[in-house]
């Protein structure tokens, strides 16, 4: 975290922390004998310093995977290892910055004391606790809410408190489950800035989210899961996926009469916007160059769907 | 490091005990004792408190031992299951904390809390009934906390509705022993495996009254509770925190 001295007492600081899911499966069994397969033959290696997104529809198995990664659930089959040891063992020795989808903090606690308690459990020294708590309170804009009881916090403020407790230490691994759920647009953007600041070759970040746009912006790779299986592993950079994108929305400020010449099949959707279909990025660039050279002013060119959204639709569609 | 940070956290655990349970135990214990003993004290006048053969002593034993059982029930209620049901475990155990050590510490911090509340109540009782020994009462409290609390801890790890289950187990064991205990059948042998609740009255009478108790009864009670406490810790280690 920029501008803040690290206060971690991690045993394995500065060592390689690869997270490895090996053939992981999880079956929930009820007392009546019914069983639900939540995760199936899931294998994935998350590299040191990587930001990995996990995307999937509701009930895809994202939260179950994260629970197994933190050692809260035992896999029915396979193993989850962090830095070569079992995930639970790693967490007990080193801790992980974790923000769950449901922010479960005792409602009777005050925001400030909740953070002090978690800081104590995290092993932050007495001398540093208040400095560290002040830092996360400031970072997450909780100063005016610090004396409020947890039950009195709004959904957005509770979400920020959840994130604050995950950032108390300079953790090597951060796991954020639906981190912007309930945040307003200002704090959603602020969250993205915070994650950008957290990007570090020594830190691995896992973000599970429904928000594909967010994952596209933040993650290096995104694991798309559905029905408990890894459907696709997508690199979010456009250089990997540009050939797959064929539909764009082009916004023209002036020179509307020139659009048809450059894009014969352009569809006018109003307010100076046109949907165009091309066979390749090269064709798109050639047509745009033609349009601009004739005097048109192009304000924006946006893919109809992001790389990730396109891959997500294909992957989830294929699995159903 | 794990022990150091947990030792510091024990102050928060003790505070939680006092705020969430200790005050309730003190109020219930005080009211119960006051409502039962004060009318007797007024009625007896200068005869109060009399010697240990008077009904006052028998009533005091009964009430004080019941308060200990109730306190243990209140203290152990949800000791593990609440964190699991409410999801509090998620943030607690993403920190570098071993849940087995955390809950073992919580069990003994709550024991200290129960002992402290019983110290207050028994000291009050001692002022109006000088023959009532505070030390003997604390010995009895410690014994019952381990015996009953160990089972309660196990049930809190294994089930969601722990206090209800503990009350059912406690009451069920007493009823089954009354029904089958005197027979010479396999049933009477089977009920021997149930929690040794039948020994409580006898132990309460002798331990609170004289500070002494049959060593085999004490060992049986302590052993039973300790076994279930250890079993609870084992399940915590081997099982899942999440459902």
């Amino acid at each position: 975290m920029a501008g803040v001295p690290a206060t971690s007492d991690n045993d394995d600081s500065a060592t390689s922390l690869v997270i490895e899911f090996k053939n992981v499966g999880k079956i929930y069994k009820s007392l009546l004998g019914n069983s639900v397969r939540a995760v199936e033959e899931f294998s994935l290696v998350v590299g040191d310093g990587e930001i990995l997104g996990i995307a999937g529809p509701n009930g895809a198995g994202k939260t179950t995977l994260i629970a197994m990664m933190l050692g809260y659930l035992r896999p029915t089959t396979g193993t989850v290892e962090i830095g070569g040891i079992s995930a639970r063992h790693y967490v007990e020795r080193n801790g992980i910055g974790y923000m769950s989808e449901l922010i479960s903090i005792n409602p009777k606690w005050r925001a400030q004391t909740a953070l002090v308690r978690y800081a104590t459990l995290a092993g932050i020294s007495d001398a540093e606790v208040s400095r560290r708590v002040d830092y996360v309170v400031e970072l997450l804009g909780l100063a005016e809410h610090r004396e409020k009881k947890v039950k009195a916090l709004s959904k957005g403020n509770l979400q920020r408190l959840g994130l604050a407790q995950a950032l108390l230490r300079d953790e090597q691994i951060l796991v954020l489950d639906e981190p912007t759920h309930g945040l307003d647009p200002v704090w959603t953007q602020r969250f993205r800035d915070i994650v950008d600041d957290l990007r570090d070759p020594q830190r691995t970040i896992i973000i599970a989210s429904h928000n594909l746009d967010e994952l596209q912006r933040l993650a290096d790779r995104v694991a798309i899961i559905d029905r408990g299986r890894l459907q696709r592993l997508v690199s979010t950079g456009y250089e990997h996926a540009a050939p797959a994108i064929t539909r764009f929305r082009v916004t023209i400020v002036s020179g509307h009469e020139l659009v048809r010449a450059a894009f014969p099949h352009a569809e006018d959707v109003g307010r100076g916007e046109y949907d165009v279909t091309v066979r390749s990025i090269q064709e798109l660039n050639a047509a745009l160059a033609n349009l601009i050279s004739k005097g048109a002013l192009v304000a924006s060119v946006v893919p109809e769907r992001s790389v990730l959204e396109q891959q997500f639709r294909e992957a989830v569609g294929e699995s159903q | 490091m794990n022990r150091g940070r947990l030792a510091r956290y024990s102050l928060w655990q003790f505070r939680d005990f006092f705020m969430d349970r200790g005050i309730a135990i003190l109020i219930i214990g005080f009211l119960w004792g006051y409502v039962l003993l004060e009318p007797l004290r007024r009625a007896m006048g200068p005869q109060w408190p009399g010697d240990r053969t008077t009904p006052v002593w028998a009533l005091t034993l009964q009430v004080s031992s019941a308060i200990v059982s109730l306190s243990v029930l209140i203290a152990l209620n949800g000791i593990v299951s609440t964190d699991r049901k409410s999801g509090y475990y998620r943030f607690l155990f993403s920190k570098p904390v071993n849940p087995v050590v955390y809950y073992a510490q919580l069990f003994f911090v709550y024991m200290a809390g129960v002992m402290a509340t019983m110290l207050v109540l028994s000291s009050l009782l001692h002022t109006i009934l000088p023959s009532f020994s505070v030390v003997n009462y604390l010995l009895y409290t410690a014994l019952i906390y381990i015996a009953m609390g160990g089972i309660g801890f196990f049930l809190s790890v294994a089930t969601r509705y722990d206090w209800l289950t503990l009350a059912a187990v406690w009451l069920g064991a007493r009823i089954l022993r009354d029904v089958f205990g005197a027979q010479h059948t396999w049933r009477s042998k089977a009920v021997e495996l149930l929690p040794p609740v039948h020994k409580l009255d006898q132990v309460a009478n002798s331990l609170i009254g004289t500070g002494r108790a049959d060593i085999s009864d004490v060992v049986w009670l302590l052993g039973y509770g300790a076994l279930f406490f250890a079993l609870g810790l084992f399940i915590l280690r081997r099982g899942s925190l999440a459902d």
Side-chain angles (χ1 to χ4, degrees):
Chain A
M1 277 166 275
V4 179
T7 48
S8 169
D9 60 357
N10 286 3
D11 295 344
D12 296 337
S13 56
T15 59
S16 176
L17 285 176
V18 171
I19 302 169
E20 193 167 8
F21 295 85
K22 291 181 191 165
N23 273 321
V24 174
K26 180 67 190 174
I27 299 172
Y28 290 106
K29 283 185 179 159
S30 75
L31 287 173
L32 299 173
N34 300 324
S35 62
V36 176
R37 199 177 287 270
V39 175
E40 206 172 348
E41 292 173 19
F42 187 92
S43 294
L44 177 68
V45 177
V46 187
D48 211 0
E50 182 177 3
I51 299 186
L52 177 86
I54 300 178
N58 291 330
K62 301 189 292 288
T63 300
T64 300
L65 271 176
I66 288 174
M68 288 192 285
M69 211 193 95
L70 283 137
Y72 297 160
L73 277 178
R74 282 180 181 274
T76 311
T77 57
T79 56
V80 187
E81 290 184 352
I82 303 175
I85 58 173
S86 82
R88 184 66 229 162
H89 197 176
Y90 175 85
V91 176
E92 285 174 14
R93 277 174 57 181
N94 303 282
I96 278 182
Y98 172 51
M99 177 189 179
S100 54
E101 182 180 7
L102 292 170
I103 306 298
S104 307
I105 301 174
N106 192 324
K108 289 185 277 188
W109 294 356
R110 292 182 192 283
Q112 164 90 6
T113 53
L115 290 171
V116 172
R117 282 168 181 256
Y118 291 130
T120 305
L121 279 178
I124 295 169
S125 67
D126 283 337
E128 260 196 289
V129 164
S130 65
R131 193 177 68 84
R132 200 64 194 175
V133 168
D134 287 348
Y135 168 70
V136 292
V137 163
E138 187 65 30
L139 183 72
L140 276 306
L142 288 166
E144 62 182 296
H145 307 292
R146 64 197 303 167
E147 291 306 323
K148 285 184 186 168
K149 289 199 171 177
V150 169
K151 64 183 172 191
L153 295 178
S154 66
K155 168 75 182 146
N157 288 333
L158 189 60
Q159 198 76 1
R160 284 191 265 157
L161 180 62
L163 186 55
Q165 66 77 38
L167 300 180
L168 277 166
R169 287 200 322 172
D170 202 9
E171 305 285 2
Q172 281 186 274
I173 297 177
L174 275 172
V175 179
L176 310 172
D177 194 356
E178 299 292 351
T180 54
H181 182 66
L183 291 185
D184 61 33
V186 172
W187 274 100
T188 299
Q189 184 53 49
R190 183 86 184 93
F191 163 78
R192 288 172 184 162
D193 295 342
I194 290 169
V195 172
D196 270 339
D197 285 348
L198 288 165
R199 191 184 284 272
D200 186 303
Q202 298 295 327
R203 183 179 290 117
T204 305
I205 304 176
I206 295 180
I207 305 170
S209 179
H210 282 106
N211 189 333
L212 298 179
D213 181 47
E214 182 168 284
L215 294 180
Q216 174 79 52
R217 286 164 190 243
L218 294 174
D220 302 318
R221 291 188 302 163
V222 176
I224 299 173
I225 62 171
D226 191 22
R227 301 182 177 196
R229 281 179 177 270
L230 177 64
Q231 302 293 341
R232 280 188 194 190
L233 196 55
V234 180
S235 292
T236 51
Y238 276 91
E239 69 275 18
H240 296 288
I245 302 171
T246 55
R247 274 183 73 79
F248 294 84
R249 179 158 292 184
V250 180
T251 307
I252 306 285
V253 177
S254 68
H256 296 273
E257 69 284 1
L258 304 169
V259 171
R260 297 276 175 214
F263 297 101
H265 302 293
E267 191 182 326
D268 187 348
V269 291
R271 295 185 302 177
E273 295 179 343
Y274 298 85
D275 282 346
V276 301
T277 304
V278 291
R279 280 174 298 227
S280 66
I281 292 293
Q282 287 78 5
E283 184 183 328
L284 173 73
N285 276 271
L288 284 170
N290 180 22
L291 188 63
I292 292 165
S293 68
K294 286 179 179 167
L297 275 178
V298 177
S300 71
V301 181
V302 180
E304 185 189 43
R305 288 175 190 155
S306 70
V307 176
L308 185 57
E309 191 180 349
Q310 185 140 335
Q311 297 267 359
F312 183 86
R313 283 172 182 266
E314 286 172 15
V316 172
E318 281 167 11
S319 75
Q320 286 175 350
Chain B
M1 185 57 74
N2 197 14
R3 284 186 191 146
R5 66 178 68 118
L6 273 176
R8 282 161 59 208
Y9 195 74
S10 67
L11 297 175
W12 288 108
Q13 291 175 325
F14 191 81
R15 182 180 179 273
D16 288 341
F17 172 84
F18 185 72
M19 300 302 289
D20 297 343
R21 302 156 200 256
I23 292 173
I25 292 171
L26 283 172
I27 292 171
I28 292 169
F30 179 79
L31 287 178
W32 201 351
Y34 185 83
V35 166
L36 287 172
L37 294 178
E38 183 56 19
L40 267 179
R41 196 165 78 97
R42 284 194 188 158
M44 287 174 71
Q47 303 293 314
W48 175 271
D51 60 22
R52 291 188 174 187
T53 59
T54 62
V56 172
W57 183 252
L59 183 67
T60 303
L61 275 182
Q62 206 169 9
V63 171
S64 59
S65 62
I67 286 173
V68 171
S69 298
L70 186 69
S71 302
V72 174
L73 204 62
I74 292 171
L76 269 294
N77 175 29
I79 188 169
V80 178
S81 63
T82 297
D83 287 347
R84 298 175 71 184
K85 276 190 285 192
S86 308
Y88 302 154
Y89 70 89
R90 293 191 189 102
F91 292 161
L92 291 175
F93 301 120
S94 62
K95 308 293 178 285
V97 172
N98 182 333
V100 173
V101 180
Y102 177 92
Y103 285 114
Q105 174 175 294
L106 191 61
F107 179 82
F108 287 109
V109 167
Y110 280 13
M111 181 177 178
V114 170
M115 300 287 283
T117 53
M118 291 304 113
L119 174 66
V120 173
L121 289 174
S122 58
S123 299
L124 285 173
L125 188 56
H126 180 72
T127 59
I128 59 165
L129 195 64
S131 58
F132 188 86
S133 164
V134 173
V135 174
N136 292 352
Y137 190 59
L138 291 183
L139 280 174
Y140 177 76
T141 302
L143 175 65
I144 298 306
Y145 187 88
I146 300 289
M148 195 174 165
I151 300 168
F153 182 85
F154 166 78
L155 292 173
S156 195
V157 173
T159 73
R160 281 171 160 252
Y161 306 100
D162 47 359
W163 77 267
L164 204 62
T165 317
L166 179 59
V169 166
W170 218 244
L171 197 65
R174 201 168 261 259
I175 292 169
L176 288 172
R177 277 183 191 281
D178 288 345
V179 174
F180 301 114
Q183 298 172 4
H184 294 285
T185 62
W186 65 269
R187 289 192 185 94
S188 64
K189 289 188 171 57
V191 295
E192 284 301 312
L193 296 173
L194 293 172
V197 288
H198 61 300
K199 296 182 185 293
L200 287 181
D201 294 341
Q202 203 178 326
V203 170
N205 281 331
S206 56
L207 200 54
I208 299 174
T210 66
R212 293 193 196 91
D214 186 304
I215 190 71
S216 66
D217 287 350
V218 171
V219 168
W220 185 238
L221 281 164
L222 281 178
Y224 206 93
L227 179 72
F228 273 88
F229 176 61
L231 206 54
L233 294 178
F234 177 77
I235 293 174
L236 260 179
R237 180 77 274 176
R238 302 296 305 165
S240 293
L241 284 165
D243 290 330

